[in-house]
Amino acid sequence: MKIRAAITGIDGYVPPDLLTNKELEQMVDTSDEWILSRTGIRERHILKGENRGTSDMAAEAVKGLLKKTHTSPDEIELLICATVTADLHFPATANIISHKAGIKNAWSYDINAACSGFLFALATACQFVESGLYKKVIVVGADKMSAIVDYTNRDTCVLFGDAAGAVLLEPASGEEGIMDFILRTDGSGEEFLHMKAGGSRRPPSYETIDAKEHCVFQEGQSVFKFAVTKMADVSAEIMEKNNLKSEDISWLVPHQANMRIIDATARRMGISKDQVMINIDKYGNTTAATIPLCLWEWEKRLHKGDNIILAAFGGGFTWGSIWVKWAY
Ligand code: UT7
């Protein structure tokens, strides 16, 4: 029987400090009403403190995951971290997370696929388990978006928050686990969503700092148009490909960028809103962390055999969907 990779545990970390819409009203020309009606966001969490980065949140999630699943750090063979807010350009944040969580017998690396990062990392990790090579792999989705947000720009500063989520992947019998995935990229999307400087094309300089080119740049409306069609299309496509009907689906776990994109995806799949995991109101867009954060919050309501569709769209452009049959 085919070995499948199943999610066998999940944990998350959200930093304690809140940034509410009301507070943002004091910082830029915006309103609670605008943010809530256009995005669905009420508040987001921000990681504060000197020298604290994405790895600090991710390490908390990984340590929690190890404890919850009664797994020794020594048993982990591979750790993959999806992030666009690496602690440093190098070494990889995954290496730092492994070190902080006491994982010593593994190799680890980062994946950069922006808001689709967790899906790309999960599909990659899945191969190592399905091939029979590894028995315990951790996939992390974590971002400290507050590090790359310009809090004087209302176009982006209302959207993002900080968080981390981590899952354990183990071999399963063949009945449950990661059943299928469809993942895509389109590099022509770069112009609509990117960070202008800090990379090899435009290294940091006084000029890039003055121009705030180390912050997220997004042409919201253009990204919205792509996101709303691609995320809905790819979610419908994975259902058709696997002959899944609306009534077969227990949950949609969408990337949390905008309530209107989430609604359009659910409509396209023919499922009702109470089958959609939504926590954008509390956390905003935490980039690679949104999907594991939802699974973590809903964990107690999930049942063995539930058909779950994970779906995301993000910078790159990157997008995709994964069909998971919940394993516990
Ligand atoms: O996660 C990665 C992928 N990213 C996404 O999926 C994000 C996709 N895009 C979006 O979610 C939406 O485009 C946004 C939430 C970013 C923006 O919403 P929108 O409905 O597309 O607004 P808009 O950019 O078309 O702006 C409408 C108006 C503009 O004013 P005028 O030109 O109509 O006078 C903006 O200047 O709203 C204004 N505006 C704001 N007003 C108050 C833009 N940002 C704000 C703000 N507060 N924060």
Side-chain angles (χ1 to χ4, degrees):
M1 192 185 274
K2 178 180 163 62
I3 303 172
R4 288 199 187 278
I7 296 174
T8 55
I10 180 147
D11 207 22
Y13 178 81
V14 179
D17 284 297
L18 271 183
L19 177 60
T20 64
N21 289 355
K22 281 278 167 223
E23 287 170 285
L24 282 162
E25 284 179 355
Q26 311 301 313
M27 294 158 67
V28 289
D29 181 15
T30 191
S31 65
D32 177 43
E33 197 278 328
W34 190 96
I35 303 170
L36 197 55
S37 62
R38 297 287 180 125
T39 70
I41 304 167
R42 285 178 196 280
E43 59 192 28
R44 64 289 290 140
H45 290 247
I46 303 294
L47 181 67
K48 291 197 174 159
E50 282 282 300
N51 271 317
R52 300 189 73 212
T54 296
S55 73
D56 292 288
M57 296 187 292
E60 287 307 310
V62 169
K63 284 190 276 184
L65 176 69
L66 292 171
K67 195 169 169 204
K68 242 174 109 171
T69 55
H70 309 288
T71 308
S72 155
D74 293 340
E75 294 176 77
I76 303 302
E77 297 157 295
L78 169 65
L79 182 146
I80 304 177
C81 175
T83 189
V84 290
T85 50
D87 281 25
L88 306 165
H89 266 304
F90 71 90
T93 301
N95 304 171
I96 304 169
I97 298 166
S98 291
H99 174 65
K100 286 181 175 164
I103 294 170
K104 294 194 173 67
N105 297 328
W107 57 301
S108 46
Y109 59 88
D110 290 354
I111 281 186
N112 179 337
C115 298
S116 311
F118 183 76
L119 301 192
F120 280 43
L122 191 63
T124 306
C126 178
Q127 307 310 310
F128 291 94
V129 177
E130 282 187 359
S131 66
L133 199 61
Y134 293 147
K135 299 218 158 29
K136 288 187 195 287
V137 177
I138 289 179
V139 180
V140 178
D143 271 298
K144 182 189 170 188
M145 294 305 290
S146 63
I148 58 165
V149 163
D150 171 6
Y151 284 100
T152 65
N153 180 354
R154 71 176 185 176
D155 292 344
T156 47
C157 76
V158 303
L159 304 174
F160 297 100
D162 303 339
V167 300
L168 181 65
L169 275 192
E170 293 182 275
S173 65
E175 302 298 324
E176 278 112 19
I178 296 173
M179 309 300 284
D180 195 15
F181 59 84
I182 304 174
L183 299 169
R184 296 283 182 269
T185 54
D186 176 0
S188 71
E190 177 198 331
E191 65 177 293
F192 305 113
L193 182 48
H194 58 258
M195 189 196 288
K196 294 189 184 303
S200 57
R201 204 193 283 167
R202 199 162 159 72
S205 66
Y206 291 114
E207 194 190 341
T208 62
I209 289 169
D210 287 345
K212 299 208 161 83
E213 289 180 0
H214 299 273
C215 295
V216 179
F217 168 85
Q218 176 170 252
E219 223 180 274
Q221 261 190 29
S222 309
V223 177
F224 186 90
K225 279 181 205 146
F226 279 96
V228 85
T229 39
K230 295 292 187 194
M231 206 164 108
D233 284 354
V234 80
S235 304
E237 191 184 340
I238 203 160
M239 288 172 66
E240 280 156 29
K241 186 178 164 203
N242 292 286
N243 204 18
L244 290 166
K245 305 275 169 279
S246 308
E247 54 272 24
D248 300 323
I249 305 297
S250 304
W251 295 99
L252 164 66
V253 192
H255 170 55
Q256 314 275 311
N258 189 311
M259 212 36 241
R260 291 176 286 152
I261 300 173
I262 296 173
D263 285 342
T265 305
R267 268 200 307 275
R268 183 72 190 282
M269 292 169 68
I271 60 168
S272 71
K273 210 160 170 183
D274 54 9
Q275 290 170 277
V276 187
M277 296 189 193
I278 298 165
N279 58 17
I280 188 172
D281 51 321
K282 295 193 290 184
Y283 306 121
N285 183 349
T286 57
T287 304
T290 58
I291 289 175
L293 215 55
C294 279
L295 289 172
W296 175 48
E297 261 199 281
W298 265 260
E299 187 186 18
K300 287 198 169 62
R301 294 169 65 186
L302 301 178
H303 301 101
K304 194 174 164 73
D306 278 357
N307 286 311
I308 301 176
I309 303 291
L310 317 179
F313 181 91
F317 292 137
T318 57
W319 67 98
S321 55
I322 298 187
W323 169 31
V324 176
K325 233 181 210 307
W326 199 248
Y328 65 98

